[in-house]
Amino acid sequence: MKKFLLKGILHDRGRSLLPVIVVATGAMLTVLLYSWLTGVMGESLEMSSNFMTGDVKVTTRAYAADADQFPNDLAILDSDLLVEELRKEEPSVDWVSRIRFGALADFPDSAGETRGQGPVAGWAVDLFSEGSQEARRFNLAASIIRGTLPDKPGECLISEDLAARFDVEPGEEFTLFGTTMEGGFSFTNFIVAGTVRFGSAGLDRGAVVIDLNDARNAFAMQGAAGEILGYLPETYFDEDEAEAVKVKLNARWAADTDEFAPVAQTLRDMPGMGDLLDYTKSISGFMIFIFVSAMTIVLWNGGLLGGLRRYTEFGVRIALGEDKGHIYRSLLWEALMIGAIGSVIGTAIGVAVATSLNIHGVDISGMMKNATMLMPSVVRPAVDSVIYYIGFIPGVFSMVLGNALAGAGIYKRETARLFNELEV
């Protein structure tokens, strides 16, 4: 019977073409919207993780309470030893030490006098150690606008916007005014190796990237780090795995009540990140619900119209002795096949478009000029395993449900009335 129904679908285009087009369109839009939403939100979270939070962050308890102020006087002492312990405890996680700082950059003129000053937000990361992934996380190679990456101590990167504001060229020297770990003033000269643009207005206004050891020397933080960040091997943030790592580490440190004892947090625990994660999940589910509902209504109406056109066909089949239940089941099988065919076509088109957009990206920098949220200026839809089947949820389900509702009229056919209709 299924082979016979398939032949009918392929040969009777008047009965199957429109439903297939509707299902394919719905499946394609579902794939594209899911891919777009997941990609944009996922890249935003990934950028926040790479620059700010990590998947898991370890700080002192006192530092965690005022983390937005970068209180390096509350930093982790002997952080390298703690990193080694964490690597033994969780070897699948890439643990790195960082120092976040706010400072004042003083740019001199040719006579050595101050040409201009501006506040900067800085990252001290491991730029020179063999095997370090920090430059990749910050996408430094692709973000270079002028100059080169630092290749020796004392060199740094500054944002292109900051360099343009004070007319700074690669190779020039400037002074970074900051505070030491003990609360004193620090004055350290750096050479601008290059300028970068990260693609986020919040970062590009005044970013400075220096090597971790340079920051330790500049701020009298030898052996210390404000934060130790852990990165899971997954491309996008895995909330369950990060939570498991956090719980395990905090259970280990629970007995130490000192304010300088380490504490672990996940990306979800950071301000605003939990709401963003919940929003991403809820909007994905809501999107699928809307498409299923809309397509069910459309295909229900299509099923009703198709049922009216096939009213005589169903009557003849009943008159010939075919069971109503058999007719109804055959209608559902037919709907399942049409839904599957349309979903395959729509998914294939959606995956192809999403893959193309993922390769080339979509530049939204024009909309991000005054943005405060950390988002990349070029976004890409996510191409993951979900897009290969998510289109089948509204495609198949709505087609079957629509025909199931429309086919209920089969059971309302009365044999006595049927013969009167056939005689006419």
Side-chain angles (χ1 to χ4, degrees):
M1 181 188 74
K2 300 179 184 63
K3 185 177 181 180
F4 175 78
L5 291 174
L6 182 59
K7 287 184 177 180
I9 292 171
L10 297 177
H11 290 88
D12 189 357
R13 295 184 179 179
R15 184 172 64 186
S16 60
L17 182 59
L18 181 59
V20 167
I21 292 175
V22 172
V23 171
T25 302
M28 178 190 68
L29 291 175
T30 301
V31 169
L32 288 178
L33 287 177
Y34 172 85
S35 177
W36 176 260
L37 180 66
T38 303
V40 171
M41 294 300 181
E43 288 198 5
S44 177
L45 289 171
E46 190 67 13
M47 193 171 187
S48 295
S49 174
N50 287 339
F51 280 82
M52 303 291 188
T53 66
D55 295 330
V56 181
K57 177 191 284 190
V58 175
T59 64
T60 64
R61 291 171 181 164
Y63 186 105
D66 297 306
D68 292 340
Q69 302 175 24
F70 313 141
N72 288 324
D73 56 320
L74 306 175
I76 301 171
L77 301 178
D78 298 324
S79 60
D80 293 338
L81 294 177
L82 181 56
V83 167
E84 291 301 318
E85 293 178 9
L86 290 170
R87 286 173 178 168
K88 293 178 181 178
E89 187 78 17
E90 295 291 340
S92 63
V93 182
D94 185 13
W95 298 99
V96 296
S97 296
R98 285 190 188 171
I99 297 174
R100 294 289 312 280
F101 60 90
L104 184 69
D106 181 274
F107 299 97
D109 58 18
S110 58
E113 301 295 331
T114 297
R115 181 176 67 209
Q117 292 182 339
V120 296
W123 285 262
V125 300
D126 186 356
L127 293 177
F128 303 133
S129 294
E130 183 178 355
S132 173
Q133 299 296 312
E134 293 290 75
R136 178 192 62 79
R137 291 192 183 98
F138 279 68
N139 198 29
L140 294 181
S143 301
I144 289 287
I145 303 298
R146 294 180 291 158
T148 63
L149 292 173
D151 58 9
K152 60 184 178 181
E155 293 185 339
C156 72
L157 296 171
I158 66 174
S159 70
E160 174 65 18
D161 292 355
L162 180 65
R165 193 190 321 159
F166 295 104
D167 195 24
V168 179
E169 297 291 335
E172 292 188 19
E173 190 176 70
F174 73 99
T175 303
L176 198 66
F177 296 163
T179 57
T180 68
M181 188 175 177
E182 301 298 330
F185 290 105
S186 69
F187 308 91
T188 310
N189 292 332
F190 286 93
I191 297 174
V192 178
T195 65
V196 291
R197 179 171 287 124
F198 295 118
S200 173
L203 298 177
D204 291 333
R205 292 190 184 100
V208 174
V209 179
I210 63 178
D211 181 61
L212 180 64
N213 288 325
D214 285 340
R216 285 172 168 172
N217 293 329
F219 305 130
M221 296 179 65
Q222 284 75 12
E227 306 168 346
I228 297 175
L229 305 185
Y231 291 93
L232 301 170
E234 288 77 9
T235 302
Y236 292 129
F237 176 61
D238 187 327
E239 184 176 345
D240 293 335
E241 187 172 350
E243 185 68 21
V245 172
K246 182 192 83 169
V247 170
K248 182 178 179 181
L249 293 177
N250 285 338
R252 176 184 174 186
W253 299 322
D256 191 346
T257 58
D258 188 83
E259 65 174 343
F260 292 101
V263 62
Q265 297 173 293
T266 69
L267 184 147
R268 166 176 274 280
D269 299 325
M270 305 304 155
M273 290 294 104
D275 293 337
L276 184 59
L277 285 168
D278 292 337
Y279 173 77
T280 303
K281 292 179 181 179
S282 61
I283 202 67
S284 298
F286 181 71
M287 179 191 68
I288 296 174
F289 172 77
I290 290 296
F291 268 93
V292 170
S293 301
M295 289 179 63
T296 298
I297 293 172
V298 171
L299 294 174
W300 181 11
N301 285 295
L304 288 174
L305 293 175
L308 291 175
R309 192 177 70 85
R310 301 173 65 186
Y311 203 64
T312 303
E313 174 196 332
F314 293 148
V316 171
R317 291 168 66 178
I318 293 173
L320 292 175
E322 187 173 358
D323 181 69
K324 291 181 180 180
H326 184 269
I327 297 175
Y328 187 71
R329 289 191 296 274
S330 67
L331 185 66
L332 295 183
W333 274 109
E334 187 176 288
L336 181 61
M337 292 178 182
I338 291 175
I341 293 171
S343 297
V344 168
I345 296 172
T347 297
I349 297 173
V351 169
V353 174
T355 302
S356 176
L357 292 176
N358 179 270
I359 293 173
H360 300 289
V362 179
D363 189 351
I364 61 170
S365 57
M367 298 183 291
M368 300 296 295
K369 292 181 180 179
N370 298 315
T372 57
M373 182 179 178
L374 193 61
M375 286 186 66
S377 60
V378 178
V379 295
R380 292 174 171 81
V383 178
D384 55 22
S385 60
V386 178
I387 68 172
Y388 292 97
Y389 65 80
I390 194 171
F392 286 81
I393 298 175
V396 175
F397 178 75
S398 61
M399 186 66 193
V400 172
L401 181 58
N403 277 266
L405 296 173
I410 293 173
Y411 289 98
K412 298 179 181 180
R413 299 302 306 272
E414 298 177 3
T415 306
R417 185 177 179 182
L418 169 65
F419 281 107
N420 290 331
E421 292 175 357
L422 295 176
E423 288 175 1
V424 173

